[in-house]
DNA sequence: CAAAGCTACTTAACAGTGTTAAGTAGTTTA
DNA sequence: TAAACTACTTAACACTGTTAAGTAGCTTTG
């Protein structure tokens, strides 16, 4: 009996998340209000607070969904033996993920709210999702060093640099700051081409560190 | 007479901006509402709409103030002859600006609102502030190429990469995503040291492109 | 000099936001 | 059968940006 109730409670929790996902992906974060989610699932707005602490809690759940998608994409890369090839593939996949899921990217790497929710939790306030991704990147960087790349460089500084370089590219794209300086590069390329060309510079610079 | 009135109108416009600046810098963007600005200057909220089209208009004005500060800091760099030294100094100054003025940095490079305001304007919807900075960076990159750096690389791709690399660093810091992965780099460093160490990696990689 | 017009501002309201306290059917338990 | 608990709702609070309509007071005009 109790189990059944808990299961039902879990059910509505995921129903809320599904509605939030739908609104979030199609209408964007701004348009995803508690009241709209409630209307979507046919319950009153206050019901949502029985399943999620506050809006940040929902945003954190969405951020976890995003990390689920990203991890799924990263999984095949574990099989890539050559660490530098893996590093390049990691960057490419990261950028592609951001282009395919801009709303998820924002909630995962550009918004304070999910982290605020984490900090509001008494226990387990560690950002395990992010740490896992960075850990994977760091290990790849260290492997690259044993192959002669990034000689005499701090592997952590290299890791953060690599992350920041791709994050910088995709976040400037997502916020439309790249589009706004199109006049500076008079060439007629798609935003995706421009971003990948800039990523190529990172790859070439890293390659020449060997 | 007319001139005096216009001048008075201009006066209140800057009084509003000053109040917005104060709230914005001290309380952050979230806490800067039209109503709070109005209370700060002792006028009714609707008065603000006589001087600014909407909130994005005010945010755009704040963004311009930020670019004013940045340009002031960049000015002395024009005198640096060695282009690679200038490039390094540009990066350092950019990072330092973001650390000193996180709220302004957000409004300048991380928020859609000022750009939305630009696009809502019929004429002059070009992001001249950003383009000026990128133009300066691009020219420095091209000068570096004539000194042997970035051989056979697209100068525009290098420019965007350089910008994205430093933007990535400071934006991950501003959104507190860097702090959240502190556990991955067990060293006890300040956020500023970590960011500058990662920037150093960029410098070294660029240096080895010669 | 009074009437009309204009300027600069305010009041009131609309439509929305996140969030909480209090209340209410319906089921379960004692 | 009565008490207790579950799952949900209604009503409200305190905000947000924004607009339509109204009002003093000064300026210009007939």
């Amino acid at each position: 009996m109790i189990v059944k109730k808990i299961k039902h409670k879990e059910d509505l929790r995921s129903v809320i998340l599904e509605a939030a996902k739908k609104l979030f992906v199609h209408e964007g974060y701004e348009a995803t209000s508690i009241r709209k989610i409630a209307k979507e699932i046919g319950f009153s707005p206050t019901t949502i607070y029985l399943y999620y602490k506050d809006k940040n809690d929902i945003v954190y759940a969405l951020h976890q969904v995003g990390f689920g998608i990203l991890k799924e994409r990263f999984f095949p890369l574990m099989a890539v033996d050559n660490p530098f090839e893996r590093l390049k593939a990691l960057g490419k996949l990261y950028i592609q993920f951001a282009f395919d899921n801009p709303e998820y990217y924002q909630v995962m790497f550009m918004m304070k709210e999910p982290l605020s929710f984490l900090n509001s939790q008494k226990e387990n306030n560690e950002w395990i999702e992010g740490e896992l991704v960075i850990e994977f990147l760091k290990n790849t960087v260290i492997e690259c060093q044993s192959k002669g790349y990034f000689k005499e460089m701090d592997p952590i500084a290299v890791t953060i640099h690599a992350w920041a370089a791709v994050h910088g590219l995709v976040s400037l794209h997502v916020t439309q700051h790249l589009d706004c300086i199109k006049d500076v590069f008079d060439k007629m390329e798609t935003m995706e081409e421009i971003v990948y060309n800039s990523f190529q510079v990172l790859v070439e610079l890293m390659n020449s560190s060997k």
Side-chain angles (χ1 to χ4, degrees), chain A:
Chain A
M1 286 303 205
I2 292 164
V3 175
K4 201 198 163 186
K5 270 181 204 166
I6 287 168
K7 187 143 188 274
H8 181 248
K9 245 188 129 80
E10 280 304 311
D11 275 357
L12 196 41
R13 203 181 139 89
S14 22
V15 168
I16 291 166
L17 187 59
E18 284 304 313
K21 269 163 71 177
K22 187 182 162 187
L23 277 165
F24 182 71
V25 172
H26 293 102
E27 320 274 342
Y29 171 74
E30 299 281 275
T32 307
S33 71
I34 301 280
R35 281 173 165 87
K36 279 187 189 167
I37 296 168
K39 191 169 262 181
E40 184 78 26
I41 60 170
F43 284 86
S44 92
T46 49
T47 303
I48 293 179
Y49 287 89
L50 302 171
Y51 299 89
Y52 290 91
K53 192 193 152 206
D54 53 24
K55 204 189 173 183
N56 284 357
D57 195 350
I58 298 172
V59 171
Y60 177 73
L62 287 169
H63 134 123
Q64 278 181 309
V65 172
F67 270 101
I69 302 169
L70 185 63
K71 272 199 281 190
E72 215 171 74
R73 291 204 185 188
F74 273 2
F75 194 74
L77 294 186
M78 311 263 219
V80 179
D81 266 355
N82 185 322
F84 196 71
E85 289 303 318
R86 198 192 312 141
L87 187 66
K88 285 192 280 182
L90 257 168
K92 244 185 176 171
L93 250 134
Y94 188 93
I95 291 168
Q96 198 56 50
F97 170 81
F99 269 91
D100 295 344
N101 311 280
E103 294 294 339
Y104 279 117
Y105 189 85
Q106 278 185 78
V107 95
M108 290 160 73
F109 297 111
M110 295 168 74
M111 279 169 49
K112 288 178 179 174
E113 284 81 353
L115 304 180
S116 303
F117 173 75
L118 268 178
N119 290 336
S120 76
Q121 299 292 92
K122 280 225 166 179
E123 45 198 341
N124 192 30
N125 63 343
E126 283 179 332
W127 191 40
I128 38 165
E129 294 87 0
E131 285 182 356
L132 256 162
V133 171
I134 298 308
E135 192 78 45
F136 185 33
L137 180 61
K138 192 186 86 179
N139 292 337
T140 302
V141 166
I142 290 168
E143 272 192 70
C144 283
Q145 282 192 307
S146 70
K147 295 269 178 186
Y149 294 93
F150 313 123
K151 228 169 254 174
E152 286 168 56
M153 289 181 184
D154 175 12
I156 285 155
V158 175
T159 303
I160 295 172
H161 168 67
W163 181 29
V166 286
H167 168 73
L169 277 174
V170 298
S171 66
L172 284 173
H173 165 66
V174 167
T175 56
Q176 274 151 11
H177 283 83
L178 268 189
D179 300 68
C180 289
I181 55 144
K182 254 186 168 171
D183 297 359
V184 177
F185 36 94
D186 44 15
K187 288 179 280 179
M188 277 309 205
E189 290 172 294
T190 67
M191 225 65 251
E192 217 162 328
E193 285 169 334
I194 288 158
V195 166
Y196 277 115
N197 286 345
S198 290
F199 172 66
Q200 194 52 38
V201 170
L202 173 69
V203 171
E204 283 173 41
L205 287 175
M206 284 180 160
N207 204 24
S208 61
S209 80
K210 195 179 178 180

